[in-house]
């Protein structure tokens, strides 16, 4: 349920938001199906199979779901079998797909299934859950999104702390009008390809959580 002011209550997703998502997602999947097929073909030629990358992420109320994206990295590992850093695995095709946000297209199926919304805090790694402060954890009081308030206000060029402040602000100020505004700003950001990477990073550095204060005897 949602109040007239637009704030989420903790236990449900507003029906109006769900209808809004479906009214935009279903036509988008139909219109974008040729593009989705073309990107899938390019990924298959450039990176091989599988074309789709799936990873478990926390969603609404931190419930785990499988998010889907187009692959942008090679599966390169060191002598011990550990994956190499993102910068070494990210291909030229992958960089283009990320800069144009084309790697996110399969997430439309997550929206269709009700696991995500078009707009909301980005779903991050499961390992981050125990690193959030109580305030930062409030980002899970809404459905995760393909784009969000943090994405249109800096994306990967801002710090984790700034991202989470923006995520929680969205939770407290949600409205359909805000979602529409974010979608319009997202289109502009995609065409301008702004703030794709954090400075000096292929994507974003790992979120390590709040630093523990050293206690002196």
């Amino acid at each position: 349920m949602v109040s007239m002011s637009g704030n989420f209550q903790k236990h449900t997703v507003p029906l109006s938001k769900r209808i809004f998502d479906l009214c935009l997602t279903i036509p988008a999947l139909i219109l974008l199906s040729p593009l989705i097929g073309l990107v899938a073909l390019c990924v298959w030629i450039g990176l091989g199979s599988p074309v789709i990358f799936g990873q478990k992420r926390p969603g609404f109320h931190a419930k785990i779901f499988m998010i889907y994206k187009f692959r942008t990295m090679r599966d390169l590992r060191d002598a011990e079998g550990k994956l190499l850093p993102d910068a070494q695995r990210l291909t030229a095709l992958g960089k283009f797909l990320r800069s144009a946000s084309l790697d996110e297209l399969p997430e439309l199926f997550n929206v269709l299934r009700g696991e995500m919304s078009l707009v909301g805090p980005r779903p991050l790694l499961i390992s981050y859950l125990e690193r959030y402060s109580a305030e930062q954890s409030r980002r899970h009081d809404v459905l995760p999104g393909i784009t969000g308030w943090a994405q249109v206000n800096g994306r990967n060029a801002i710090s984790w702390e700034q991202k989470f402040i923006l995520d929680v602000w969205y939770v407290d100020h949600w409205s359909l009008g805000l979602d529409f505004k974010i979608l319009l700003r997202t289109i502009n950001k995609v065409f301008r390809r702004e703030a794709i990477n954090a400075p000096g990073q292929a994507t974003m550095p790992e979120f390590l959580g709040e630093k523990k204060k050293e206690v002196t005897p």
Side-chain angles (χ1 to χ4, degrees):
M1 300 294 293
V2 66
S3 67
M4 291 303 292
S5 63
N7 294 338
F8 274 95
Q9 292 185 5
K10 289 187 175 181
H11 303 296
T12 58
V13 175
L15 179 60
S16 58
K17 183 173 178 65
R18 181 64 180 149
I19 293 173
F20 178 82
D21 282 340
L22 291 176
C23 286
L24 293 180
T25 300
I26 293 173
L29 280 170
I30 295 171
L31 293 172
L32 294 174
S33 57
L35 178 60
I36 292 172
L38 178 61
V39 174
L41 178 61
C42 290
V43 173
W44 180 73
I45 293 173
L47 293 171
S49 60
V51 169
I52 300 293
F53 167 75
Q55 188 177 57
K56 291 181 179 180
R57 297 286 177 95
F60 186 50
H61 292 164
K63 180 180 179 181
I64 306 303
F65 73 101
M66 186 72 74
I67 190 174
Y68 297 104
K69 296 184 178 186
F70 281 119
R71 281 182 65 202
T72 58
M73 297 184 185
R74 297 188 183 279
D75 187 23
L76 300 178
R77 300 174 182 268
D78 61 21
E80 298 179 353
K82 296 180 180 178
L83 286 172
L84 294 177
D86 290 355
Q88 297 180 39
R89 297 189 296 120
L90 188 61
T91 65
L93 172 63
K95 289 179 181 178
F96 169 75
L97 294 179
R98 289 190 178 202
S99 68
S101 296
L102 294 174
D103 63 317
E104 311 280 359
L105 287 174
E107 292 173 33
L108 290 171
F109 291 100
N110 288 117
V111 177
L112 196 63
R113 291 165 53 159
E115 298 160 332
M116 293 180 64
S117 174
L118 290 174
V119 181
R122 287 293 299 163
L124 302 175
L125 300 177
I126 295 175
S127 59
Y128 290 0
L129 286 174
E130 61 184 17
R131 304 176 190 179
Y132 296 137
S133 66
E135 180 71 3
Q136 292 168 345
S137 294
R138 293 181 56 217
R139 69 194 307 276
H140 294 292
D141 287 348
V142 298
L143 281 170
I146 296 178
T147 186
W149 190 234
Q151 278 59 50
V152 299
N153 284 284
R155 197 173 177 179
N156 289 336
I158 59 177
S159 69
W160 282 116
E161 288 72 21
Q162 290 171 309
K163 281 177 179 283
F164 297 143
I165 289 171
L166 291 167
D167 286 342
V168 173
W169 185 94
Y170 173 81
V171 172
D172 291 335
H173 296 85
W174 174 81
S175 70
L176 290 182
L178 179 59
D179 276 5
F180 189 69
K181 175 182 176 180
I182 291 172
L183 288 174
L184 290 179
R185 289 183 61 176
T186 297
I187 294 171
N188 180 52
K189 292 281 186 180
V190 167
F191 278 110
R192 295 171 64 179
R193 300 187 185 180
E194 293 180 341
I196 306 301
N197 307 322
Q201 301 285 333
T203 51
M204 275 290 290
E206 181 181 359
F207 172 62
L208 299 175
E210 305 248 345
K211 292 183 178 179
K212 294 182 179 180
K213 295 181 180 179
E214 293 184 1
V215 179
T216 55

